[in-house]
Amino acid sequence: MAERPIGRQKAQSANRVDGRGDGPVTRTVVLDAALAIIDREGVDGLSMRRLAEAVGRDPMVIYRHLPNKAAVLDGVAEIVFEQLSVDVTDTDWATRLRVVARDFRRLALAHPRVVPLLVTHPLATPLGLRPAALVRPLEAILELLTRAGFSGADALHIYRALFGFLYGHVLNELQEIVERPEETDEVLRLGLYRLPIEQFPLVRELAPVLAAYDGELELERGLDILLTGLTATLSGPVR
């Protein structure tokens, strides 16, 4: 098949346990429950005891599948990343990378409290020690780009540039906090009145632009800049 899923697709909702149930407790059931907790309460709201309560079992049942909270967090990152897919046979590599970028943003916005597990947590773990699902995007994109004719080294540069941009983008988008939404003046809503105008004239001047932040448009503009730059600076696919 042309479409290569990065890991398994998430199970259908009918096969999941979100809360107490009488079905068998599997690793998938535990991780789905953990994802539901994090989506509602954040990573700090997750504990092994809280997780056991969510699946209606003794905590020792949880430990049979996942030895500690760190393993649970890795597993949650896995099941989210596994929803990402790459068509490695697509000959239009730039368009395919745009699709990957849009899908990554969609996952991040669907699970904003999981984003630290997708973005910052893996960076603290050596590549070879990360869960396989977190490494498969790298493998798939390397295959996509080398199939298109790029050298392995250039394919790696493109992957790093793309995901470096994506990680920064989703963190920035999720942190676009409006301090005083009832205010119509952009300077007040963004708290820019706290910045001395003589020290930050350009930031203050851009208040209307900052207030009109559109994550989707910012992503597309960033991809335009990134992919145009990569096309111009790399030697291009070897034919």
Side-chain angles (χ1 to χ4, degrees), residues 8 24 27 107 236:
R8 63 172 176 79
R27 183 175 185 272
L107 288 172

Side-chain angles (χ1 to χ4, degrees), residues 57-116:
R57 296 294 190 273
D58 184 273
M60 292 308 298
V61 175
I62 305 300
Y63 286 110
R64 291 175 192 165
H65 298 285
L66 298 145
N68 49 47
K69 182 177 177 178
V72 174
L73 296 180
D74 281 344
V76 168
E78 283 183 68
I79 65 174
V80 174
F81 253 119
E82 284 173 350
Q83 296 176 71
L84 205 59
S85 64
V86 179
D87 181 354
V88 300
T89 66
D90 193 338
T91 56
D92 188 346
W93 64 271
T95 296
R96 182 52 46 186
L97 291 185
R98 284 182 182 273
V99 172
V100 172
R102 292 164 185 159
D103 286 348
F104 184 83
R105 174 178 176 266
R106 174 182 53 78
L107 288 172
L109 295 181
H111 304 284
R113 292 176 172 173
V114 180
V115 165

Side-chain angles (χ1 to χ4, degrees), residues 59-204:
M60 292 308 298
V61 175
I62 305 300
Y63 286 110
R64 291 175 192 165
H65 298 285
L66 298 145
N68 49 47
K69 182 177 177 178
V72 174
L73 296 180
D74 281 344
V76 168
E78 283 183 68
I79 65 174
V80 174
F81 253 119
E82 284 173 350
Q83 296 176 71
L84 205 59
S85 64
V86 179
D87 181 354
V88 300
T89 66
D90 193 338
T91 56
D92 188 346
W93 64 271
T95 296
R96 182 52 46 186
L97 291 185
R98 284 182 182 273
V99 172
V100 172
R102 292 164 185 159
D103 286 348
F104 184 83
R105 174 178 176 266
R106 174 182 53 78
L107 288 172
L109 295 181
H111 304 284
R113 292 176 172 173
V114 180
V115 165
L117 304 182
L118 306 180
V119 175
T120 59
H121 181 65
L123 300 179
T125 307
L127 185 62
L129 299 180
R130 297 176 195 173
L134 274 63
V135 183
R136 287 193 184 103
L138 170 59
E139 180 68 22
I141 289 175
L142 289 177
E143 182 174 352
L144 169 73
L145 295 171
T146 53
R147 277 173 176 259
F150 286 98
S151 68
D154 279 347
L156 182 58
H157 289 318
I158 293 171
Y159 170 86
R160 287 172 171 166
L162 175 67
F163 274 83
F165 164 70
L166 285 177
Y167 290 163
H169 173 84
V170 297
L171 288 173
N172 187 64
E173 182 170 2
L174 292 174
Q175 291 173 3
E176 284 289 319
I177 299 172
V178 176
E179 184 178 347
R180 297 171 64 177
E182 72 280 3
E183 295 286 354
T184 56
D185 186 285
E186 293 89 354
V187 172
L188 289 177
R189 288 197 294 120
L190 295 173
L192 295 181
Y193 57 88
R194 296 181 177 181
L195 299 179
I197 193 167
E198 65 276 8
Q199 295 181 33
F200 302 96
L202 297 178
V203 174
R204 291 283 294 264

